[in-house]
Amino acid sequence: MFFSLFVLNGCNENDFNKDIKGLVYCSEANPVSFNPQVTTTGSTIDIIANQLYDRLINIDPNTGEFTPALATSWKITDKGKKITFRLRKDVQFHHTDYFTPTRNFNADDVIFTFGRLFDVYNPFHFVGNAQSPYPYFRSIGLDQLIKSIHKDNEHQVTFELFNANSSFLANIATDFAALLSAEYAAKLIEKEDLEAIDKLPVGTGPYFFKEYKRDILVRYYKNPDYWHHQVNLDQLVFDITPNATTRIAKMMTHECDVTAHPNATQLSILAQRSDIKVQQETYLNIGYWAFNTQKPPFDNPNVRRALAHAIDIDKIMDSVFLGTGKRAQSLLPPTSWAYQAQANFPSYNPELAKRLLDQAGLSDGFRMEIWAAPVARIYNPNARKMAELMQSDLKKVGITVKIVEYEWNTFLSKLEAHQHDSVLIGWAADSPDPDNFFSPILSCAAAMSGKNQANWCNSEFDLLLTQALDTTDIEKRKHFYFQAQQILIQQLPLLPLSHGMRFQATTDQVSGIELKPFGGVSLANARVN
């Protein structure tokens, strides 16, 4: 496909080379950064993580086993407290308009990448989002887990941990553990332009960064020196199209080769087109309703329980997911090895909700806000509609709801500042490890990083998460996670609602796109015939 979208977006047609073949991916939001270390936003991860970067190891989506990437092998010693990675040789970083590497990837890049996260003397440690730096790694406590990283030789590094941690490898394999260039960082220090490290990216991935025009596009060129395989596409363009209807319209006219997150009502329309395919993937994810537990009356567990009993989740699932999602019975999805349905999960009972409100001294009701994510997500394809249904249910027990929406990046920023009463949001897992559902969402560390939207910190809950990570015994881990979920259901800092499917539409000319069950989307092998 030629890049006719540029004309539609009001750009100068002469700015673009129409003779270059490539792929246009219509995305739902602008990226908030070009460094996966500093964001957990799914739309951003889709655009940057697998296209620009590589990690030390990956996770096989079928077996869940770890596989080599920039590390060719690894060894765990000292009772789990030392992990040694042997690094791949002859891997080049991107050659871009703003950086030309003089050496290949080596141990210094690993030390710089992870050192930035936990070493306060690293000149880049405080660069960027000072309010919530490295949100994923801070929420899981990785910055407190790594004691040191040793350079054994040019192509071998050893991580020393303060204590053994059963999720360490899984977290090193997430999209957030992208490897950066220490040489590029040194150049930025010379230029006194440290902020550029998160804005003008340099990785080892299949594509390199060319340009970003906010609200219009992100453009990459193929990395001709990609270590893993030959890249098929000369260019990869992310067309920023927040409106789902507009994305589908562009799909129908082939202005997009790929469209992210078509909603349930659009699937039947797409199914009628022989020239359009719909991919679907069962994702490990959870959509939930989080209450700001530091704000009254949401600091009262009985009020949170009343809210949970006041809404009809089955009706919400029927109206919002249209058969493309499952009602949650736990924070964990049923496919997790630690899943156990919670017998005391709140059910729809408006009369009980009224009694609980009366016990809380709120028999006359109150006013509250529900923040609705403005973009379709895997775990919630239409948060606005969901909020409207909840608004109707809550009115029946005397609660007046104002639905609040902001532009996506503004929404996330205000959410991290805990300005909300409650929010419809969720989480798509980055690894199959159960801890990926607990620590990033509900740990005390996540509350400090701004990613715990319930703003909830419970020492007993945190201790159970730590105990689960301190052992590799699966049965013991299941036991600790079950106990943690018992606390969760008793306290209800958030109400688990749904598990969704991920959908993606492509033209019949496109192949090779990988939707990852834990992680974003990879276009490394994408092809347009």
Side-chain angles (χ1 to χ4, degrees):
M1 164 177 283
F2 297 133
F3 296 106
S4 58
L5 77 145
F6 302 132
V7 181
L8 292 174
N9 282 316
C11 296
N12 185 338
E13 188 175 351
N14 294 327
D15 289 344
F16 308 101
N17 187 344
K18 285 191 169 184
D19 295 327
I20 295 178
K21 292 181 180 179
L23 181 144
V24 179
Y25 184 108
C26 280
S27 185
E28 73 276 24
N30 286 294
V32 298
S33 173
F34 284 92
N35 180 355
Q37 290 180 329
V38 302
T39 181
T40 58
T41 312
S43 52
T44 299
I45 294 299
D46 284 351
I47 293 174
I48 64 174
N50 291 289
Q51 327 319 332
L52 297 174
Y53 297 99
D54 292 298
R55 300 169 289 278
L56 287 174
I57 55 176
N58 291 325
I59 301 176
D60 187 302
N62 298 313
T63 66
E65 295 178 348
F66 300 114
T67 59
L70 292 186
T72 56
S73 63
W74 51 96
K75 181 172 65 177
I76 300 174
T77 57
D78 193 17
K79 298 181 179 179
K81 291 195 290 186
K82 286 186 178 180
I83 302 95
T84 299
F85 294 95
R86 183 167 294 178
L87 306 180
R88 190 176 298 279
K89 299 178 180 177
D90 303 322
V91 175
Q92 293 190 39
F93 279 100
H94 295 154
H95 293 242
T96 71
D97 297 338
Y98 45 88
F99 176 63
T100 301
T102 63
R103 64 164 177 80
N104 290 340
F105 164 74
N106 66 26
D108 292 331
D109 302 308
V110 180
I111 292 171
F112 167 73
T113 296
F114 291 95
R116 182 186 176 187
L117 302 174
F118 70 90
D119 181 3
V120 296
Y121 295 103
N122 184 301
F124 290 85
H125 181 73
F126 294 106
V127 170
N129 186 352
Q131 183 181 0
S132 182
Y134 323 116
Y136 179 75
F137 289 123
R138 287 191 70 200
S139 68
I140 60 172
L142 193 72
D143 57 328
Q144 302 299 314
L145 177 66
I146 298 174
K147 183 177 182 181
S148 61
I149 308 175
H150 305 287
K151 179 180 177 180
D152 303 326
N153 57 53
E154 286 293 304
H155 295 97
Q156 183 170 302
V157 294
T158 296
F159 286 68
E160 186 173 354
L161 311 182
F162 283 106
N163 51 271
N165 183 294
S166 55
S167 290
F168 178 75
L169 286 179
N171 287 318
I172 291 295
T174 64
D175 290 333
F176 309 104
L179 271 298
L180 309 181
S181 165
E183 184 186 14
Y184 178 48
K187 293 288 183 185
L188 295 178
I189 292 173
E190 288 179 10
K191 295 169 63 176
E192 298 183 349
D193 187 17
L194 277 63
E195 298 276 348
I197 197 164
D198 300 330
K199 297 176 180 176
L200 295 172
V202 171
T204 60
Y207 303 95
F208 68 86
F209 177 86
K210 184 61 180 177
E211 67 174 338
Y212 169 43
K213 295 186 177 182
R214 183 177 175 81
D215 298 326
I216 297 178
L217 65 89
V218 177
R219 179 157 53 157
Y220 300 149
Y221 283 176
K222 85 171 181 181
N223 176 4
D225 304 310
Y226 187 44
W227 61 273
H228 197 200
H229 57 72
Q230 179 69 33
V231 180
N232 300 309
L233 303 173
D234 288 334
Q235 288 194 32
L236 171 60
V237 172
F238 289 89
D239 174 359
I240 309 301
T241 311
N243 184 283
T245 302
T246 306
R247 284 202 305 276
I248 292 303
K250 289 185 174 183
M251 190 78 238
M252 306 290 270
T253 57
H254 287 208
E255 293 168 39
C256 305
D257 295 301
V258 188
T259 294
H261 303 296
N263 63 42
T265 59
Q266 295 168 335
L267 294 177
S268 59
I269 299 172
L270 295 171
Q272 297 174 22
R273 292 281 296 258
S274 60
D275 58 334
I276 294 175
K277 302 179 293 184
V278 176
Q279 289 178 272
Q280 69 177 49
E281 181 65 57
T282 301
Y283 256 56
L284 292 173
N285 64 77
I286 180 69
Y288 52 83
W289 184 20
F291 310 106
N292 188 342
T293 60
Q294 297 302 308
K295 267 189 176 182
F298 313 104
D299 56 344
N300 183 339
N302 269 345
V303 173
R304 302 195 293 264
R305 185 166 296 282
L307 294 169
H309 283 295
I311 63 167
D312 187 343
I313 300 177
D314 288 333
K315 186 173 70 178
I316 289 172
M317 294 302 298
D318 290 342
S319 301
V320 175
F321 284 85
L322 303 176
T324 64
K326 290 184 179 179
R327 176 177 171 168
Q329 290 290 333
S330 157
L331 192 67
L332 293 173
T335 50
S336 170
W337 56 257
Y339 172 80
Q340 294 185 62
Q342 300 298 299
N344 52 349
F345 198 90
S347 58
Y348 181 51
N349 190 336
E351 292 306 315
L352 176 56
K354 289 178 182 176
R355 290 199 297 274
L356 289 168
L357 289 173
D358 186 50
Q359 291 172 15
L362 295 168
S363 55
D364 293 333
F366 61 93
R367 295 178 179 274
M368 66 175 291
E369 293 180 350
I370 296 178
W371 288 24
V375 297
R377 311 306 302 151
I378 302 165
Y379 43 76
N380 192 337
N382 193 336
R384 173 78 197 193
K385 185 171 185 177
M386 184 180 286
E388 290 172 348
L389 292 167
M390 295 166 68
Q391 184 183 46
S392 175
D393 283 342
L394 291 167
K395 186 177 181 181
K396 296 171 186 173
V397 298
I399 298 172
T400 302
V401 169
K402 177 184 177 184
I403 299 172
V404 175
E405 291 177 298
Y406 295 102
E407 179 274 333
W408 184 223
N409 288 352
T410 303
F411 181 89
L412 294 171
S413 176
K414 289 180 176 291
L415 202 56
E416 288 184 10
H418 299 308
Q419 296 179 6
H420 58 292
D421 291 341
S422 72
V423 61
L424 294 174
I425 196 79
W427 179 256
D430 309 290
S431 81
D433 194 287
D435 184 70
N436 196 260
F437 278 90
F438 293 103
S439 292
I441 299 174
L442 283 166
S443 66
C444 295
M448 293 178 63
S449 74
K451 292 302 176 186
N452 177 339
Q453 286 99 5
N455 205 7
W456 182 70
C457 176
N458 182 295
S459 57
E460 187 181 0
F461 181 86
D462 253 31
L463 177 60
L464 289 165
L465 300 189
T466 301
Q467 290 173 311
L469 291 173
D470 283 346
T471 177
T472 56
D473 185 311
I474 293 294
E475 293 306 316
K476 286 183 179 178
R477 292 191 72 191
K478 284 182 181 178
H479 173 70
F480 289 130
Y481 289 132
F482 180 75
Q483 287 187 302
Q485 290 190 80
Q486 289 293 299
I487 294 174
L488 185 59
I489 293 301
Q490 290 166 7
Q491 293 293 312
L492 281 178
L494 57 78
L495 177 65
L497 296 172
S498 54
H499 308 292
M501 300 282 292
R502 176 162 185 167
F503 295 96
Q504 180 170 271
T506 71
T507 70
D508 58 355
Q509 301 298 305
V510 173
S511 60
I513 297 178
E514 182 184 4
L515 282 178
K516 298 191 169 188
F518 23 82
V521 58
S522 173
L523 296 148
N525 288 300
R527 179 188 297 274
V528 180
N529 298 317

